[in-house]
Amino acid sequence: MFRCWLLIGVTGFGGVLPVVVHELVTRRRWMTHEEFSEVLAICQILPGPNIVNISVIFGMRIAGWAGALACLGGLLLLPVIIALTLAIIYSGVADVPAVQRATGTIASAAAGLLIAVALRLFWPQRGNPVAWGVGALVIVLVIGFRVPLLWVILGCAPLSIGLYLWKARTHV
Amino acid sequence: MSDQLIDLLGQMVIQSLLAIGGINVILGELQRVLVAENGWLTAQEFTSLFALAQASPGPNTLFVTLIGWRLFGIGGGLAATAVFVAPSIIIGAIVARAWTRWSEMRWFVVLRRGLVPMTVGLVVSSAILLTLAAASGPISWVITVAAATLSLTTRLPPVAILAIAAVVGVAGLG
């Protein structure tokens, strides 16, 4: 199990989720697709990085605390070492103009990738006026007024859920 | 431990608890706290570290490792990672015991679907803030738009798109 998550950690570039599905469900059959969707759904409403939550819950269900630590350790060990190595190499060559230009363009591309993620999340909600309204409100608060996230969540989560319930009620 | 390190680790626990829906949700908040409010990192450093985390294999959580490393060396990177994932371990352990019961409950479905509009807003905000932070001229805008388009319309893995961007930068176009 540790080895499996080790593999997941190293092979997942810029988003580990597809690799997790491939390894746990398709290749090793440790979980069915339905089980995995349920775990994922729960992890999406839990605080913390989703993938960390998934590895802990998965490990816990199979082998208790030892399992949880094995999965999480496997997931993080090599990537942390690799990222720190890259960072140290980078800090050694950060003054080289070509490296500076590359960092700039990679940062621009990384922002573009995040825009793509945002659009993919938004697309299924495009016909939902609540998503437009709450989404716009969140953006104005976060960017326009730089409101701390805690207040944004405390204010907008009840609003988001309340409007969802109200909309569900008026549609049945 | 210096006060700043304690501040940073405390922030990481808070950020971890706020990251409902993943680390993309809190990028905007991280930038607000680390760059705008405390001035621990410049906007440029923040985006370079994010770029570096994206270019490394593994979960996006690595961004937190790199922030800790930049401010306090390797020990800081490991400590930041540990406190960032610690709340998840505890919460995951609790949920693992109760999860089959939860997934069938109505309030759970309501919570999951009801939170989507807020999550969308937060991720879009993060995307806007990062785009603005990375923007240093017309070419950086072109790269951002091109990367988003490639990601949406092709099956290229993210790392390939980042690699193309790196080549463009080294070639001196950026």
Side-chain angles (χ1 to χ4, degrees):
Chain A
M1 216 153 65
F2 178 73
R3 273 207 308 275
C4 165
W5 282 89
L6 211 56
L7 183 73
I8 290 173
V10 206
T11 48
F13 275 98
V16 190
L17 201 56
V19 189
V20 175
V21 178
H22 179 75
E23 282 297 316
L24 297 188
V25 181
T26 316
R27 208 159 78 93
R28 299 181 199 244
R29 297 177 195 278
W30 279 338
M31 281 175 133
T32 65
H33 269 290
E34 288 72 32
E35 282 172 326
F36 187 79
S37 319
E38 279 177 38
V39 172
L40 179 63
I42 292 173
C43 290
Q44 275 163 347
I45 63 155
L46 291 180
N50 290 346
I51 199 69
V52 171
N53 290 335
I54 291 174
S55 72
V56 169
I57 292 180
F58 171 79
M60 203 68 191
R61 286 186 53 213
I62 303 232
W65 282 104
L69 290 178
C71 292
L72 181 63
L75 174 69
L76 290 178
L77 180 68
L78 289 178
V80 164
I81 294 173
I82 295 171
L84 285 175
T85 312
L86 277 179
I88 290 164
I89 295 172
Y90 167 73
S91 66
V93 295
D95 296 333
V96 179
V99 175
Q100 278 177 347
R101 287 197 304 270
T103 319
T105 50
I106 292 175
S108 297
L113 294 179
L114 195 59
I115 292 177
V117 171
L119 287 175
R120 277 206 194 93
L121 268 179
F122 173 72
W123 198 242
Q125 303 292 321
R126 65 190 183 280
N128 176 3
V130 176
W132 284 91
V134 176
L137 177 65
V138 169
I139 294 168
V140 169
L141 290 175
V142 170
I143 296 182
F145 296 96
R146 310 243 64 184
V147 175
L149 184 60
L150 179 62
W151 304 120
V152 177
I153 290 181
L154 286 179
C156 292
L159 180 71
S160 194
I161 293 165
L163 285 173
Y164 167 75
L165 282 175
W166 176 74
K167 196 165 152 275
R169 194 157 304 159
T170 50
H171 277 266
V172 273
Chain B
M1 276 205 286
S2 74
D3 286 351
Q4 196 198 358
L5 179 57
I6 294 168
D7 277 358
L8 176 75
L9 297 183
Q11 274 299 335
M12 288 308 160
V13 174
I14 298 169
Q15 298 292 334
S16 174
L17 291 172
L18 291 177
I20 300 170
I23 196 166
N24 287 342
V25 166
I26 56 162
L27 287 174
E29 174 74 357
L30 277 173
Q31 201 201 35
R32 191 186 68 79
V33 171
L34 296 168
V35 179
E37 200 170 81
N38 290 305
W40 290 341
L41 297 171
T42 65
Q44 169 81 56
E45 286 173 320
F46 184 89
T47 40
S48 323
L49 290 177
F50 180 72
L52 214 51
Q54 290 286 304
S56 307
N60 296 340
T61 322
L62 291 177
F63 184 39
V64 169
T65 314
L66 294 182
I67 292 171
W69 164 79
R70 179 70 188 75
L71 292 170
F72 297 102
I74 291 179
L78 298 180
T81 314
V83 296
F84 191 73
V85 300
S88 292
I89 299 177
I90 296 163
I91 293 166
I94 297 167
V95 170
R97 282 153 204 256
W99 78 287
T100 32
R101 269 175 291 146
W102 279 28
S103 58
E104 285 152 24
M105 283 184 197
R106 193 179 131 68
W107 66 262
F108 172 75
V109 177
V110 168
L111 207 56
R112 184 153 60 87
R113 298 213 182 126
L115 282 175
V116 170
M118 185 184 74
T119 311
V120 171
L122 288 171
V123 177
V124 172
S125 304
S126 294
I128 295 174
L129 285 172
L130 267 186
T131 306
L132 294 178
S136 57
I139 289 169
S140 59
W141 285 100
V142 172
I143 293 171
T144 301
V145 172
T149 314
L150 278 177
S151 171
L152 287 170
T153 56
T154 66
R155 289 177 162 274
L156 280 178
V159 68
I161 296 173
L162 295 175
I164 296 171
V167 171
V168 171
V170 172
L173 299 169

